[in-house]
Amino acid sequence: MVVKIKGKVFVFGDNVNTDEIIPARYLNTSDPQELAKYCMEDARPGFGRRDDIKGSIIVAGENFGCGSSREHAPVAIKAAGISCVIAKSFARIFFRNAINIGLPIVELKEADEFEEGDVAEVDLENGVVRNLTKGKEYRIRPYPEFLMKIMEAGGWLEYCLKEVGE
């Protein structure tokens, strides 16, 4: 079960919208690996093609994922190898889409205390976020058991198929 997530931090600001996460010009495919190449392209050109983002954590400000309701945005993030997104707040539809595809996301009001390159650890089950670089610890709302099962399955559809199959 996905309980603790640890990774290098990449910092983004407030109001990162879905067009910055995965620009519309790349939506001629729904292939996750192709979308991953252009993850965060309009916020940070070339980000999705970096070698050092696998297993990393995006930390952002307010209203992350605002804009359209396209599910491609969290799909691109997850397929790029980002293990978790921490933000001060999320757009509602992005929050929902992220959970549906099995991308762990965490709201943390102190997200702005992280800096690019810090190492973060997220404990979803116990509700703890740590900045291992700065030695700081923050309390978050733990994921309830059903959300942990969705994450473990890899998303809502996979969870439902597993539950129906049992």
Side-chain angles (χ1 to χ4, degrees):
M1 181 177 278
V2 177
V3 178
K4 288 187 182 177
I5 300 163
K6 181 179 171 184
K8 178 181 174 182
V9 167
F10 288 93
V11 175
F12 291 85
D14 293 334
N15 302 307
V16 174
N17 67 57
T18 54
D19 285 321
E20 292 173 298
I21 297 169
I22 184 66
R25 64 187 176 276
Y26 300 114
L27 295 180
N28 55 354
T29 182
S30 58
D31 175 40
Q33 294 311 310
E34 191 63 25
L35 294 171
K37 294 177 191 176
Y38 304 104
C39 175
M40 308 304 286
E41 187 69 18
D42 282 1
R44 192 178 294 186
F47 181 78
R49 295 178 296 285
R50 291 179 62 146
D51 292 331
D52 63 344
I53 63 170
K54 304 287 186 253
S56 65
I57 297 173
I58 288 176
V59 177
E62 300 281 353
N63 203 25
F64 186 87
C66 58
S68 76
S69 61
R70 68 177 68 122
E71 199 173 73
H72 297 79
V75 168
I77 292 171
K78 183 178 178 184
I82 304 299
S83 60
C84 183
V85 179
I86 300 170
K88 283 187 168 192
S89 65
F90 292 92
R92 270 191 333 221
I93 193 70
F94 181 89
F95 187 93
R96 191 83 189 242
N97 285 338
I99 295 300
N100 284 345
I101 62 115
L103 174 65
I105 57 175
V106 172
E107 288 190 338
L108 179 68
K109 66 181 179 180
E110 299 91 353
D112 57 359
E113 294 183 18
F114 285 82
E115 294 180 32
E116 187 90 9
D118 285 352
V119 175
E121 181 181 74
V122 180
D123 184 337
L124 299 171
E125 189 174 41
N126 295 306
V128 178
V129 173
R130 293 180 182 88
N131 184 327
L132 299 177
T133 303
K134 295 181 178 173
K136 292 190 173 185
E137 183 173 290
Y138 311 92
R139 300 295 308 168
I140 58 169
R141 177 179 287 165
Y143 269 34
E145 183 180 348
F146 80 95
L147 276 185
M148 291 298 293
K149 287 181 180 180
I150 291 171
M151 291 299 120
E152 179 182 75
W156 175 248
L157 179 60
E158 293 83 356
Y159 170 75
C160 289
L161 291 173
K162 181 181 174 191
E163 289 298 306
V164 169
E166 290 182 351

Coordinates of all heavy atoms in Angstrom, one line a residue, residues 27-112:
L27 N -3.1 17.9 -26.9 CA -4.2 17.0 -26.6 C -4.7 16.2 -27.8 O -5.9 15.7 -27.8 CB -5.3 17.8 -25.9 CG -4.9 18.4 -24.6 CD1 -6.1 19.1 -24.0 CD2 -4.5 17.3 -23.6
N28 N -3.9 16.0 -28.8 CA -4.3 15.2 -29.9 C -4.0 13.7 -29.6 O -4.2 12.9 -30.5 CB -3.5 15.6 -31.2 CG -2.0 15.6 -31.0 OD1 -1.5 15.4 -29.9 ND2 -1.3 15.9 -32.1
T29 N -3.7 13.4 -28.4 CA -3.5 12.0 -28.0 C -4.0 11.9 -26.5 O -4.1 12.9 -25.8 CB -2.0 11.6 -28.0 OG1 -1.9 10.3 -27.6 CG2 -1.2 12.5 -27.1
S30 N -4.4 10.7 -26.2 CA -4.7 10.4 -24.8 C -3.7 9.4 -24.2 O -3.9 9.0 -23.1 CB -6.1 9.9 -24.7 OG -6.3 8.7 -25.4
D31 N -2.6 9.2 -24.9 CA -1.6 8.3 -24.4 C -0.8 8.9 -23.3 O -0.2 10.0 -23.5 CB -0.6 7.9 -25.6 CG 0.6 7.1 -25.1 OD1 0.4 6.2 -24.3 OD2 1.7 7.4 -25.6
P32 N -0.9 8.3 -22.1 CA -0.3 9.0 -20.9 C 1.2 9.2 -21.1 O 1.7 10.3 -20.7 CB -0.5 7.9 -19.8 CG -1.7 7.2 -20.2 CD -1.6 7.1 -21.7
Q33 N 2.0 8.4 -21.8 CA 3.4 8.6 -21.9 C 3.7 9.7 -22.9 O 4.7 10.4 -22.7 CB 4.1 7.3 -22.4 CG 4.0 6.2 -21.4 CD 4.5 6.6 -20.0 OE1 5.5 7.2 -19.8 NE2 3.7 6.3 -19.0
E34 N 2.9 9.9 -23.9 CA 3.0 11.1 -24.8 C 2.7 12.4 -24.0 O 3.4 13.4 -24.2 CB 2.2 10.9 -26.0 CG 2.4 11.9 -27.1 CD 3.8 11.7 -27.7 OE1 4.5 10.7 -27.6 OE2 4.3 12.8 -28.2
L35 N 1.6 12.3 -23.3 CA 1.2 13.5 -22.5 C 2.3 13.9 -21.5 O 2.6 15.1 -21.2 CB -0.1 13.3 -21.7 CG -1.4 13.1 -22.6 CD1 -2.5 12.6 -21.8 CD2 -1.7 14.4 -23.4
A36 N 2.9 12.9 -20.9 CA 4.0 13.1 -19.9 C 5.1 14.0 -20.4 O 5.7 14.8 -19.7 CB 4.5 11.8 -19.4
K37 N 5.4 13.8 -21.7 CA 6.5 14.6 -22.3 C 6.3 16.1 -22.2 O 7.2 16.9 -22.2 CB 6.7 14.2 -23.8 CG 7.2 12.8 -24.0 CD 7.3 12.5 -25.5 CE 7.5 11.1 -25.8 NZ 7.4 10.8 -27.2
Y38 N 5.0 16.5 -22.2 CA 4.7 17.9 -22.2 C 4.1 18.4 -20.9 O 3.5 19.4 -20.8 CB 3.7 18.2 -23.4 CG 4.3 17.7 -24.6 CD1 3.9 16.5 -25.3 CD2 5.4 18.4 -25.2 CE1 4.5 16.1 -26.4 CE2 6.0 17.9 -26.4 CZ 5.6 16.8 -27.0 OH 6.2 16.3 -28.1
C39 N 4.3 17.6 -19.8 CA 3.8 18.0 -18.5 C 4.4 19.3 -18.0 O 5.6 19.4 -18.1 CB 4.1 16.8 -17.5 SG 3.7 17.2 -15.8
M40 N 3.6 20.2 -17.6 CA 4.0 21.5 -17.1 C 4.7 22.4 -18.2 O 5.4 23.3 -17.9 CB 4.9 21.4 -15.9 CG 4.3 20.6 -14.8 SD 2.7 21.1 -14.2 CE 3.1 22.5 -13.3
E41 N 4.5 22.1 -19.5 CA 5.2 22.7 -20.6 C 5.1 24.2 -20.6 O 6.0 24.9 -20.9 CB 4.7 22.1 -21.9 CG 5.5 22.5 -23.1 CD 7.0 22.0 -23.1 OE1 7.3 21.0 -22.4 OE2 7.8 22.6 -23.9
D42 N 3.9 24.7 -20.3 CA 3.7 26.2 -20.4 C 4.1 26.9 -19.1 O 4.1 28.1 -19.1 CB 2.3 26.5 -20.9 CG 2.1 26.3 -22.4 OD1 3.1 25.9 -23.1 OD2 1.0 26.6 -22.9
A43 N 4.3 26.1 -18.1 CA 4.7 26.7 -16.8 C 6.2 26.7 -16.7 O 6.9 27.6 -16.2 CB 4.1 26.0 -15.6
R44 N 6.8 25.6 -17.2 CA 8.3 25.4 -17.2 C 8.7 24.5 -18.4 O 8.7 23.3 -18.3 CB 8.7 24.7 -15.9 CG 10.2 24.7 -15.6 CD 10.5 24.1 -14.3 NE 10.0 24.8 -13.2 CZ 10.3 24.5 -11.9 NH1 11.0 23.5 -11.6 NH2 9.7 25.2 -10.9
P45 N 8.9 25.1 -19.5 CA 9.2 24.4 -20.8 C 10.3 23.3 -20.5 O 11.3 23.5 -19.9 CB 9.7 25.5 -21.7 CG 9.0 26.7 -21.3 CD 9.0 26.6 -19.7
G46 N 10.0 22.1 -21.1 CA 10.9 21.0 -21.0 C 10.8 20.2 -19.7 O 11.5 19.2 -19.5
F47 N 10.0 20.6 -18.8 CA 9.9 19.9 -17.5 C 9.6 18.4 -17.6 O 10.2 17.6 -17.0 CB 8.8 20.6 -16.6 CG 8.6 20.0 -15.2 CD1 9.6 20.3 -14.2 CD2 7.6 19.1 -14.9 CE1 9.4 19.7 -13.0 CE2 7.4 18.6 -13.7 CZ 8.4 18.9 -12.7
G48 N 8.6 18.1 -18.4 CA 8.2 16.7 -18.6 C 9.2 15.8 -19.2 O 9.1 14.6 -19.2
R49 N 10.3 16.4 -19.8 CA 11.3 15.6 -20.5 C 12.6 15.6 -19.6 O 13.6 15.0 -20.1 CB 11.6 16.2 -21.9 CG 10.4 16.0 -22.8 CD 10.5 16.6 -24.2 NE 10.7 18.1 -24.2 CZ 9.7 19.0 -24.0 NH1 8.5 18.6 -23.8 NH2 10.0 20.3 -24.1
R50 N 12.5 16.1 -18.4 CA 13.7 16.1 -17.5 C 13.9 14.6 -17.0 O 13.0 13.9 -16.8 CB 13.5 17.0 -16.3 CG 13.5 18.5 -16.7 CD 13.3 19.3 -15.5 NE 14.4 19.1 -14.5 CZ 14.8 20.1 -13.7 NH1 14.3 21.3 -13.8 NH2 15.8 19.8 -12.8
D51 N 15.2 14.3 -16.8 CA 15.5 13.0 -16.3 C 15.3 12.9 -14.8 O 15.2 11.8 -14.2 CB 17.0 12.6 -16.6 CG 17.2 12.4 -18.1 OD1 16.2 12.0 -18.8 OD2 18.3 12.7 -18.6
D52 N 15.3 14.0 -14.1 CA 15.3 14.0 -12.6 C 13.9 14.2 -12.0 O 13.8 14.4 -10.8 CB 16.2 15.0 -12.0 CG 15.9 16.4 -12.4 OD1 15.1 16.6 -13.3 OD2 16.4 17.4 -11.8
I53 N 12.8 14.1 -12.8 CA 11.5 14.3 -12.2 C 10.8 13.0 -11.7 O 9.8 13.0 -10.9 CB 10.5 15.1 -13.1 CG1 10.2 14.3 -14.4 CG2 11.1 16.5 -13.4 CD1 9.1 14.9 -15.2
K54 N 11.3 11.9 -12.1 CA 10.7 10.6 -11.7 C 10.7 10.5 -10.2 O 11.8 10.6 -9.6 CB 11.4 9.4 -12.3 CG 11.4 9.5 -13.8 CD 10.1 9.2 -14.5 CE 10.2 9.1 -16.0 NZ 9.7 10.2 -16.7
G55 N 9.6 10.2 -9.6 CA 9.5 10.1 -8.1 C 9.5 11.4 -7.4 O 9.4 11.4 -6.1
S56 N 9.5 12.5 -8.1 CA 9.5 13.8 -7.4 C 8.1 14.3 -7.0 O 7.1 13.6 -7.2 CB 10.2 14.9 -8.3 OG 9.4 15.1 -9.4
I57 N 8.1 15.4 -6.3 CA 6.9 15.9 -5.7 C 6.8 17.4 -6.2 O 7.7 18.2 -6.0 CB 6.9 15.9 -4.2 CG1 6.9 14.4 -3.7 CG2 5.7 16.6 -3.6 CD1 7.1 14.2 -2.2
I58 N 5.6 17.7 -6.7 CA 5.3 19.1 -7.1 C 4.7 19.8 -5.8 O 3.8 19.2 -5.2 CB 4.3 19.2 -8.3 CG1 5.0 18.8 -9.6 CG2 3.7 20.6 -8.4 CD1 4.1 18.8 -10.8
V59 N 5.2 21.0 -5.5 CA 4.7 21.8 -4.4 C 4.2 23.1 -5.0 O 5.0 23.7 -5.7 CB 5.7 22.0 -3.3 CG1 5.1 22.9 -2.2 CG2 6.1 20.6 -2.7
A60 N 3.0 23.5 -4.8 CA 2.5 24.7 -5.4 C 1.6 25.5 -4.4 O 1.4 25.1 -3.3 CB 1.6 24.3 -6.6
G61 N 1.2 26.6 -4.9 CA 0.4 27.6 -4.1 C -1.1 27.3 -4.2 O -1.5 26.1 -4.2
E62 N -1.9 28.4 -4.2 CA -3.3 28.3 -4.2 C -3.9 27.8 -5.6 O -3.3 28.1 -6.6 CB -3.9 29.7 -3.9 CG -3.5 30.2 -2.6 CD -4.3 29.6 -1.4 OE1 -5.3 28.9 -1.6 OE2 -3.9 29.9 -0.2
N63 N -5.0 27.1 -5.6 CA -5.8 26.9 -6.7 C -5.1 26.1 -7.8 O -5.3 26.4 -9.0 CB -6.3 28.2 -7.3 CG -7.6 28.1 -8.1 OD1 -8.4 27.2 -8.0 ND2 -7.8 29.1 -9.0
F64 N -4.3 25.1 -7.4 CA -3.6 24.3 -8.4 C -4.6 23.5 -9.3 O -5.5 22.9 -8.7 CB -2.6 23.4 -7.7 CG -1.7 22.6 -8.7 CD1 -0.5 23.1 -9.1 CD2 -2.1 21.3 -9.1 CE1 0.3 22.4 -10.0 CE2 -1.3 20.6 -10.0 CZ -0.1 21.2 -10.4
G65 N -4.4 23.5 -10.6 CA -5.3 22.8 -11.5 C -6.5 23.5 -11.9 O -7.5 22.8 -12.4
C66 N -6.6 24.8 -11.7 CA -7.7 25.5 -12.2 C -7.8 25.5 -13.7 O -6.9 25.1 -14.4 CB -7.7 27.0 -11.6 SG -6.2 27.9 -12.2
G67 N -9.0 25.9 -14.2 CA -9.1 25.9 -15.7 C -10.1 24.9 -16.1 O -11.2 24.7 -15.5
S68 N -9.8 24.1 -17.1 CA -10.8 23.2 -17.7 C -10.9 21.9 -16.8 O -10.1 21.7 -15.9 CB -10.3 22.8 -19.1 OG -9.2 21.9 -19.1
S69 N -11.8 21.1 -17.2 CA -12.1 19.9 -16.4 C -11.4 18.7 -17.0 O -11.6 17.6 -16.5 CB -13.6 19.6 -16.4 OG -14.1 19.4 -17.7
R70 N -10.5 19.0 -17.9 CA -9.8 17.8 -18.6 C -9.0 16.9 -17.6 O -8.2 17.4 -16.8 CB -8.9 18.3 -19.7 CG -7.7 19.1 -19.3 CD -6.8 19.4 -20.5 NE -7.5 20.4 -21.4 CZ -7.0 21.6 -21.7 NH1 -5.8 21.9 -21.2 NH2 -7.6 22.3 -22.5
E71 N -9.3 15.7 -17.8 CA -8.6 14.7 -16.9 C -7.1 14.5 -17.4 O -6.3 13.9 -16.7 CB -9.3 13.3 -17.0 CG -9.0 12.4 -15.9 CD -9.9 11.2 -15.9 OE1 -9.7 10.3 -16.8 OE2 -10.8 11.1 -15.0
H72 N -6.8 15.0 -18.6 CA -5.4 14.9 -19.1 C -4.4 15.5 -18.1 O -3.2 15.1 -18.1 CB -5.3 15.6 -20.4 CG -6.2 15.0 -21.5 ND1 -7.5 15.2 -21.6 CD2 -5.9 14.1 -22.5 CE1 -8.0 14.6 -22.6 NE2 -7.1 13.9 -23.2
A73 N -4.8 16.6 -17.4 CA -3.8 17.2 -16.5 C -3.2 16.3 -15.5 O -2.0 16.2 -15.4 CB -4.4 18.5 -16.0
P74 N -4.0 15.7 -14.6 CA -3.4 14.8 -13.6 C -2.8 13.6 -14.3 O -1.8 13.0 -13.8 CB -4.5 14.5 -12.7 CG -5.8 14.8 -13.4 CD -5.4 15.9 -14.4
V75 N -3.3 13.1 -15.4 CA -2.8 12.0 -16.1 C -1.3 12.3 -16.6 O -0.4 11.5 -16.4 CB -3.6 11.6 -17.3 CG1 -2.9 10.6 -18.2 CG2 -5.0 11.0 -16.9
A76 N -1.1 13.5 -17.1 CA 0.2 13.9 -17.6 C 1.2 14.0 -16.4 O 2.3 13.5 -16.5 CB 0.2 15.3 -18.3
I77 N 0.7 14.5 -15.3 CA 1.6 14.6 -14.1 C 2.0 13.2 -13.6 O 3.2 12.9 -13.4 CB 0.9 15.4 -12.9 CG1 0.7 16.9 -13.4 CG2 1.6 15.2 -11.6 CD1 -0.1 17.7 -12.4
K78 N 1.0 12.3 -13.4 CA 1.3 11.0 -13.0 C 2.2 10.2 -13.9 O 3.1 9.6 -13.5 CB 0.0 10.2 -12.7 CG 0.1 8.8 -12.2 CD -1.2 8.1 -11.9 CE -1.0 6.7 -11.4 NZ -2.3 6.0 -11.2
A79 N 1.9 10.3 -15.2 CA 2.7 9.6 -16.2 C 4.1 10.1 -16.3 O 5.0 9.4 -16.7 CB 2.0 9.7 -17.6
A80 N 4.3 11.4 -16.0 CA 5.7 11.9 -16.0 C 6.5 11.4 -14.8 O 7.7 11.6 -14.8 CB 5.6 13.5 -15.9
G81 N 5.9 10.7 -13.9 CA 6.6 10.1 -12.8 C 6.5 10.9 -11.5 O 7.1 10.6 -10.5
I82 N 5.7 12.0 -11.5 CA 5.5 12.8 -10.3 C 4.7 11.9 -9.3 O 3.7 11.4 -9.6 CB 4.7 14.1 -10.5 CG1 5.4 14.9 -11.6 CG2 4.5 14.9 -9.3 CD1 6.8 15.4 -11.3
S83 N 5.3 11.8 -8.1 CA 4.7 10.8 -7.1 C 3.5 11.5 -6.3 O 2.7 10.7 -5.7 CB 5.7 10.3 -6.2 OG 6.4 11.3 -5.5
C84 N 3.5 12.8 -6.2 CA 2.5 13.5 -5.4 C 2.5 15.0 -5.7 O 3.5 15.5 -6.1 CB 2.9 13.3 -3.9 SG 1.8 14.0 -2.7
V85 N 1.4 15.6 -5.5 CA 1.3 17.1 -5.6 C 0.8 17.6 -4.3 O -0.2 17.2 -3.7 CB 0.3 17.5 -6.7 CG1 0.3 19.0 -6.8 CG2 0.7 16.9 -8.1
I86 N 1.6 18.5 -3.7 CA 1.2 19.3 -2.5 C 0.9 20.7 -2.9 O 1.7 21.3 -3.7 CB 2.4 19.3 -1.5 CG1 2.8 17.9 -1.1 CG2 2.1 20.1 -0.3 CD1 4.1 17.8 -0.3
A87 N -0.2 21.2 -2.5 CA -0.5 22.6 -2.8 C -1.3 23.2 -1.6 O -1.9 22.5 -0.8 CB -1.4 22.7 -4.1
K88 N -1.3 24.5 -1.6 CA -2.2 25.2 -0.6 C -3.6 24.9 -0.8 O -4.4 24.7 0.2 CB -1.9 26.7 -0.7 CG -0.6 27.2 0.0 CD -0.6 28.7 0.0 CE 0.6 29.1 0.9 NZ 0.5 30.5 1.2
S89 N -4.0 24.9 -2.1 CA -5.4 24.4 -2.4 C -5.5 24.0 -3.8 O -4.6 24.3 -4.6 CB -6.4 25.6 -2.2 OG -6.1 26.7 -3.1
F90 N -6.5 23.2 -4.2 CA -6.7 22.7 -5.5 C -8.0 23.1 -6.0 O -9.0 23.2 -5.3 CB -6.7 21.1 -5.4 CG -5.4 20.5 -5.1 CD1 -5.0 20.2 -3.8 CD2 -4.4 20.2 -6.1 CE1 -3.8 19.7 -3.5 CE2 -3.2 19.7 -5.8 CZ -2.9 19.4 -4.5
A91 N -8.1 23.3 -7.4 CA -9.4 23.4 -8.0 C -10.2 22.1 -7.8 O -9.6 21.0 -7.8 CB -9.2 23.7 -9.5
R92 N -11.4 22.3 -7.5 CA -12.3 21.1 -7.2 C -12.2 20.0 -8.2 O -12.0 18.8 -7.8 CB -13.7 21.5 -7.0 CG -14.1 21.9 -5.6 CD -15.5 22.0 -5.4 NE -16.3 22.4 -6.6 CZ -17.3 23.2 -6.7 NH1 -17.7 23.8 -5.6 NH2 -17.9 23.4 -7.8
I93 N -12.4 20.3 -9.5 CA -12.4 19.3 -10.5 C -11.0 18.6 -10.7 O -10.9 17.4 -10.9 CB -13.0 19.8 -11.8 CG1 -13.3 18.6 -12.8 CG2 -12.0 20.8 -12.5 CD1 -14.5 17.8 -12.3
F94 N -10.0 19.4 -10.5 CA -8.6 18.8 -10.5 C -8.5 17.8 -9.4 O -7.9 16.7 -9.6 CB -7.5 19.8 -10.5 CG -6.1 19.2 -10.6 CD1 -5.5 19.0 -11.8 CD2 -5.5 18.8 -9.4 CE1 -4.3 18.4 -11.9 CE2 -4.2 18.2 -9.5 CZ -3.6 18.0 -10.7
F95 N -8.9 18.2 -8.2 CA -8.8 17.3 -7.0 C -9.5 16.0 -7.3 O -8.9 14.9 -7.1 CB -9.4 18.0 -5.8 CG -9.3 17.3 -4.5 CD1 -8.2 17.6 -3.7 CD2 -10.2 16.3 -4.1 CE1 -8.0 17.0 -2.5 CE2 -10.0 15.7 -2.9 CZ -9.0 16.0 -2.1
R96 N -10.7 16.1 -7.8 CA -11.5 14.9 -8.1 C -10.8 14.0 -9.2 O -10.7 12.8 -9.1 CB -12.8 15.4 -8.6 CG -13.9 14.4 -8.7 CD -14.5 14.2 -7.4 NE -15.4 13.1 -7.5 CZ -16.7 13.1 -7.3 NH1 -17.3 14.2 -6.9 NH2 -17.4 12.0 -7.6
N97 N -10.3 14.7 -10.3 CA -9.7 13.9 -11.3 C -8.4 13.2 -10.9 O -8.1 12.1 -11.3 CB -9.4 14.8 -12.5 CG -10.6 15.2 -13.3 OD1 -11.6 14.5 -13.3 ND2 -10.5 16.3 -14.1
A98 N -7.7 13.9 -10.0 CA -6.4 13.3 -9.5 C -6.7 12.1 -8.7 O -6.1 11.0 -8.9 CB -5.7 14.4 -8.6
I99 N -7.7 12.1 -7.8 CA -8.1 11.0 -7.0 C -8.5 9.8 -8.0 O -8.1 8.7 -7.8 CB -9.2 11.3 -6.0 CG1 -8.6 12.3 -5.0 CG2 -9.7 10.0 -5.3 CD1 -7.5 11.9 -4.1
N100 N -9.3 10.2 -9.0 CA -9.9 9.2 -9.9 C -8.8 8.5 -10.6 O -9.0 7.3 -11.0 CB -10.8 9.9 -10.9 CG -12.2 10.2 -10.3 OD1 -12.5 9.7 -9.2 ND2 -12.9 11.0 -11.0
I101 N -7.7 9.1 -10.9 CA -6.6 8.4 -11.7 C -5.5 7.9 -10.8 O -4.5 7.4 -11.2 CB -6.0 9.3 -12.8 CG1 -5.4 10.6 -12.3 CG2 -7.1 9.6 -13.8 CD1 -3.9 10.6 -12.5
G102 N -5.7 8.1 -9.4 CA -4.7 7.5 -8.5 C -3.4 8.4 -8.3 O -2.4 7.8 -8.0
L103 N -3.6 9.7 -8.5 CA -2.5 10.6 -8.2 C -2.6 11.2 -6.8 O -3.6 11.9 -6.6 CB -2.4 11.7 -9.2 CG -1.4 12.9 -9.0 CD1 0.0 12.3 -9.1 CD2 -1.6 14.0 -9.9
P104 N -1.8 10.9 -5.9 CA -1.9 11.4 -4.5 C -1.7 12.9 -4.5 O -0.8 13.5 -5.1 CB -0.7 10.7 -3.7 CG -0.4 9.5 -4.5 CD -0.7 9.9 -6.0
I105 N -2.6 13.6 -3.9 CA -2.6 15.1 -3.7 C -2.9 15.4 -2.3 O -3.6 14.7 -1.6 CB -3.5 15.8 -4.7 CG1 -4.9 15.3 -4.5 CG2 -3.1 15.6 -6.1 CD1 -6.0 16.1 -5.3
V106 N -2.2 16.5 -1.8 CA -2.3 16.9 -0.4 C -2.4 18.4 -0.3 O -1.6 19.1 -0.9 CB -1.0 16.4 0.4 CG1 -1.0 17.0 1.8 CG2 -0.9 14.9 0.4
E107 N -3.4 18.9 0.4 CA -3.5 20.3 0.7 C -2.7 20.6 2.0 O -2.9 20.0 3.0 CB -5.0 20.7 0.9 CG -5.7 20.7 -0.4 CD -7.1 21.3 -0.3 OE1 -7.7 21.4 0.8 OE2 -7.6 21.7 -1.4
L108 N -1.9 21.6 1.8 CA -1.0 22.0 3.0 C -0.9 23.5 2.9 O -0.3 24.1 2.0 CB 0.4 21.4 2.8 CG 1.4 21.7 3.9 CD1 1.0 21.1 5.3 CD2 2.8 21.2 3.5
K109 N -1.4 24.2 4.0 CA -1.4 25.7 4.0 C 0.0 26.2 4.0 O 0.3 27.3 3.6 CB -2.2 26.2 5.1 CG -1.7 25.9 6.5 CD -2.7 26.4 7.6 CE -2.1 26.0 8.9 NZ -2.8 26.5 10.0
E110 N 1.0 25.4 4.5 CA 2.4 25.9 4.6 C 3.2 25.5 3.4 O 4.5 25.4 3.5 CB 3.0 25.3 5.9 CG 2.4 25.7 7.2 CD 1.3 24.7 7.7 OE1 1.0 23.8 6.9 OE2 0.8 24.9 8.8
A111 N 2.6 25.2 2.3 CA 3.3 24.7 1.1 C 4.4 25.7 0.7 O 5.4 25.3 0.2 CB 2.3 24.5 -0.1
D112 N 4.2 27.0 1.0 CA 5.2 28.0 0.5 C 6.5 28.0 1.4 O 7.4 28.7 1.1 CB 4.6 29.4 0.6 CG 4.0 29.8 1.9 OD1 4.0 29.0 2.8 OD2 3.5 30.9 2.0

